[in-house]
């Protein structure tokens, strides 16, 4: 079997959905599982709905209507008959959203987030599946929540691999074409969980691992894995070959083209990953495999924005040692805050943090009780893998640098935006 993953940009409108069919025609569609993300910026729109609902504003219904109108327009452009079953299916999903919000008793943000935001993938896959059926790409629509089982860590759920493996082995038709959702799973009580923002790539890795897939292809709006985000860095170049190890490093440091968790299940079974352009299905793209050297070998640039640079020192000028550091990392873990860079001296300890769940404020109060604390909000973390002096000089130009660090293969710098 092969596994394909189509992201939000690849299904953002009616023409994009039609292009998915063109990709399948060019690549073949037997023994294939397709993972589809929410359409366009739908996840962002659902996040606004959750915020509005929790703030008890009067905008919630109109925000839901906006999302409905966006999808309804796509459906109208794809299906000639207004009697097509897809219209009723989409209407029912939006009724489910309103019912879920009306019945909800929880005030826990992460729980409510997962119950609502996951509808983006459910809606998009219904539309894609129905359109493909109409175009003679006969397929089975699968609810990923029936397959991927997780713990209760809403918004960043961990996969129960044993049960997930059993579900996928028993229920997926390996011979035909199936369509399912990225990003979502469910816990033992069948509440929806999500695998982390941009987690659809990870979903592809999970299904591929459990199916012993021949390969995974991620279809993007770029030619493949580039040596930098073209929206940030100039004159970026395509990387033809990347090893699993290099891909993990790039993803860890924040390369947005591959989700950090995606590579690990593929590496365990040596399943190759291809990153290709849905605008040019015949293009070579990038292959990620075991042991192949980076080709071409060149500096790779990564930036993570909206970071926090936190510095701690002891109140009595004593050393910052292992017991202090272990205590601080325990707090980071409890508050679901990711550490992207570490630097310490005898009496101070600095970290660059990614606070994607907005838990920094309560953490800060705990730290201030035990340490002298200084911090900078909204900074950017720049990374160069396989740096050169020229690459560093170019990156540092006109930057207000707060911290930098160099190891054998990696240069990192924290700078004010």
């Amino acid at each position: 079997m092969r596994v394909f993953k189509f992201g939000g940009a690849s299904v953002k409108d009616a023409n994009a959905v039609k292009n998915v069919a063109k990709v399948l025609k060019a690549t073949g569609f037997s023994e294939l599982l397709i993972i589809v993300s929410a359409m366009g910026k739908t996840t962002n729109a659902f996040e606004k709905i959750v915020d509005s609902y929790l703030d008890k504003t009067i905008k919630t219904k109109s925000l839901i209507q906006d999302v409905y109108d966006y999808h309804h327009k796509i459906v109208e452009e794809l299906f000639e008959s207004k009697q097509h079953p897809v219209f009723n299916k989409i209407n029912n999903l939006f009724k489910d959203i309103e019912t879920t919000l009306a019945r909800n008793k929880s005030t826990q943000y992460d729980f409510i987030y997962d119950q609502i935001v996951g509808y983006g993938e459910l809606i998009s896959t219904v539309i894609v599946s129905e359109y493909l059926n109409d175009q003679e790409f006969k397929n089975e629509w699968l609810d990923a929540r029936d397959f991927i089982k997780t713990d209760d860590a809403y918004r960043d759920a961990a996969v129960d691999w044993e049960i997930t493996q059993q579900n996928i082995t028993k229920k997926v038709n390996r011979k035909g074409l199936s369509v399912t959702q990225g990003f979502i799973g469910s816990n033992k009580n069948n509440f929806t969980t999500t695998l982390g923002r941009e987690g659809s790539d990870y979903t592809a890795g999970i299904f591929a691992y459990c199916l012993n897939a021949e390969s995974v292809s991620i279809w993007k709006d770029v030619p493949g894995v580039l040596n930098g985000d073209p929206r940030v860095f100039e004159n970026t170049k395509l990387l033809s070959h990347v090893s699993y190890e290099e891909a993990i490093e790039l993803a860890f440091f924040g390369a947005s083209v591959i989700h950090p968790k995606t590579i690990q299940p593929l590496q365990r079974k040596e399943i190759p990953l291809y990153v290709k352009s849905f605008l040019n299905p015949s293009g070579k793209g990038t292959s990620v495999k075991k042991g192949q050297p980076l080709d071409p070998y060149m500096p790779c640039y990564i930036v993570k924005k909206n970071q926090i640079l936190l510095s701690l020192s002891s109140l009595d000028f004593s050393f910052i040692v292992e017991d202090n550091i272990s205590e601080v990392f325990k707090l980071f873990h409890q508050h679901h805050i990711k550490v992207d860079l570490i630097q310490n001296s005898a009496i101070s300890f600095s970290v660059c943090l990614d606070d994607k769940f907005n838990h920094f404020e309560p953490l800060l109060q705990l730290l201030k009780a035990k340490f002298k604390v200084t911090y900078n909000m909204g900074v950017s973390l720049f990374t160069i893998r396989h740096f050169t002096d020229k690459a560093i000089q170019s990156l540092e130009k006109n930057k207000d640098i707060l911290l930098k660090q160099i190891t054998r293969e990696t240069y990192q710098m924290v700078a004010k935006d």
Side-chain angles (χ1 to χ4, degrees):
M1 268 195 98
R2 294 172 299 155
V3 176
F4 283 4
K5 181 261 177 173
F6 290 93
S10 62
V11 290
K12 66 181 180 180
D13 53 32
N15 286 333
V17 174
K18 291 176 183 178
N19 189 63
V20 171
K22 292 178 183 176
V23 172
L24 297 187
K25 189 173 182 180
T27 60
F29 55 94
S30 63
E31 299 177 316
L32 179 65
L33 175 74
I34 300 176
I35 312 288
V36 183
S37 299
M39 293 176 152
K41 301 295 183 182
T42 297
T43 301
N44 294 341
F46 272 120
E47 288 175 342
K48 290 179 181 178
I49 290 169
V50 173
D51 291 341
S52 175
Y53 167 78
L54 285 169
D55 291 341
K56 296 182 170 58
T57 73
I58 59 172
K59 295 191 300 181
T60 306
K61 282 191 175 182
S62 66
L63 290 172
I64 294 172
Q65 186 65 43
D66 289 344
V67 178
Y68 175 84
D69 291 344
Y70 166 68
H71 288 91
H72 201 266
K73 180 175 184 293
I74 292 173
V75 172
E76 286 184 326
E77 292 179 16
L78 289 173
F79 302 91
E80 291 183 8
S81 171
K82 299 299 182 286
Q83 306 307 313
H84 195 286
V86 71
F87 287 91
N88 197 39
K89 290 182 178 182
I90 297 304
N91 289 342
N92 286 339
L93 285 169
F94 276 93
K95 287 177 184 176
D96 286 348
I97 294 168
E98 293 178 345
T99 301
T100 299
L101 290 175
R103 291 179 176 174
N104 173 64
K105 303 298 182 186
S106 175
T107 57
Q108 183 189 353
Y109 178 87
D110 293 347
F111 171 79
I112 299 168
Y113 180 102
D114 279 7
Q115 306 322 300
I116 298 303
V117 174
Y119 275 99
E121 277 69 19
L122 295 168
I123 295 164
S124 69
T125 51
V126 165
I127 295 171
V128 170
S129 175
E130 292 289 340
Y131 177 74
L132 291 177
N133 274 325
D134 266 21
Q135 300 301 308
E136 303 302 323
F137 297 91
K138 297 304 178 184
N139 70 88
E140 181 182 4
W141 182 88
L142 307 176
D143 189 332
R145 297 172 296 181
D146 294 336
F147 297 85
I148 297 178
K149 304 304 285 189
T150 74
D151 64 8
D152 298 332
Y154 296 105
R155 291 183 70 202
D156 196 21
V159 174
D160 184 324
W161 283 95
E162 184 177 350
I163 299 176
T164 298
Q165 175 75 72
Q166 292 171 3
N167 291 339
I168 292 174
T169 301
K170 289 178 183 176
K171 301 176 186 177
V172 174
N173 176 10
R174 294 169 180 268
K175 297 299 182 184
L177 172 64
S178 301
V179 177
T180 193
Q181 308 78 37
F183 184 50
I184 63 173
S186 67
N187 62 18
K188 63 184 178 183
N189 295 314
N190 292 323
F191 286 113
T192 303
T193 56
T194 61
L195 304 175
R197 200 67 155 81
E198 311 294 341
S200 292
D201 289 359
Y202 185 33
T203 302
I206 295 166
F207 273 98
Y209 177 89
C210 294
L211 290 165
N212 293 314
E214 173 190 310
S215 65
V216 173
S217 296
I218 297 176
W219 297 91
K220 310 282 288 188
D221 55 357
V222 290
V225 178
L226 305 176
N227 74 322
D229 186 336
R231 296 167 297 183
V232 180
F233 302 102
E234 297 179 353
N235 304 315
T236 55
K237 293 181 174 61
L238 177 68
L239 303 174
S240 298
H241 302 296
V242 181
S243 67
Y244 290 125
E245 293 79 5
E246 187 65 40
I248 289 171
E249 293 282 5
L250 292 172
F252 174 81
F253 289 122
S256 60
V257 75
I258 302 173
H259 188 276
K261 294 179 182 177
T262 305
I263 303 298
Q264 291 163 342
L266 301 182
Q267 183 184 29
R268 287 202 291 268
K269 290 192 176 179
E270 297 185 13
I271 299 169
L273 169 68
Y274 301 99
V275 182
K276 305 186 73 173
S277 169
F278 59 74
L279 301 173
N280 181 23
S282 61
K284 186 178 178 182
T286 302
S287 70
V288 181
K289 297 180 182 177
K290 179 184 178 181
Q292 61 182 8
L294 184 67
D295 181 30
Y297 188 87
M298 62 175 61
C300 297
Y301 302 85
I302 304 159
V303 61
K304 292 187 77 171
K305 297 189 175 183
N306 298 315
Q307 303 286 290
I308 302 167
L309 180 62
L310 172 72
S311 297
L312 307 175
S313 56
S314 57
L315 294 172
D316 59 359
F317 296 101
S318 60
F319 291 158
I320 297 285
V321 290
E322 286 78 2
D323 58 341
N324 305 116
I325 294 173
S326 64
E327 180 184 6
V328 171
F329 269 86
K330 185 177 180 181
L331 289 171
F332 291 153
H333 175 72
Q334 290 171 348
H335 289 78
H336 302 285
I337 291 177
K338 182 175 180 290
V339 178
D340 288 328
L341 179 148
I342 306 167
Q343 191 174 94
N344 69 293
S345 67
I347 60 171
S348 69
F349 174 72
S350 296
V351 283
C352 190
L353 304 174
D354 188 352
D355 179 29
K356 61 182 178 180
F357 298 128
N358 297 315
H359 292 166
F360 181 66
E361 279 301 321
L363 169 67
L364 187 61
Q365 301 313 311
L366 294 173
L367 292 174
K368 282 183 174 179
K370 297 188 176 184
F371 301 96
K372 179 183 177 184
V373 179
T374 56
Y375 62 95
N376 299 84
M377 304 289 289
V379 299
S380 292
L381 172 62
F382 293 89
T383 302
I384 309 176
R385 285 281 293 166
H386 316 299
F387 61 87
T388 63
D389 290 342
K390 182 179 179 182
I392 292 174
Q393 290 169 8
S394 174
L395 189 64
E396 289 185 350
K397 189 175 181 181
N398 299 323
K399 298 281 197 315
D400 187 354
I401 301 170
L402 299 171
L403 179 153
K404 59 182 175 179
Q405 184 166 278
I406 298 177
T407 58
R408 289 183 181 89
E409 289 286 341
T410 305
Y411 164 91
Q412 291 188 284
M413 167 185 76
V414 179
K416 291 182 178 178
D417 280 349

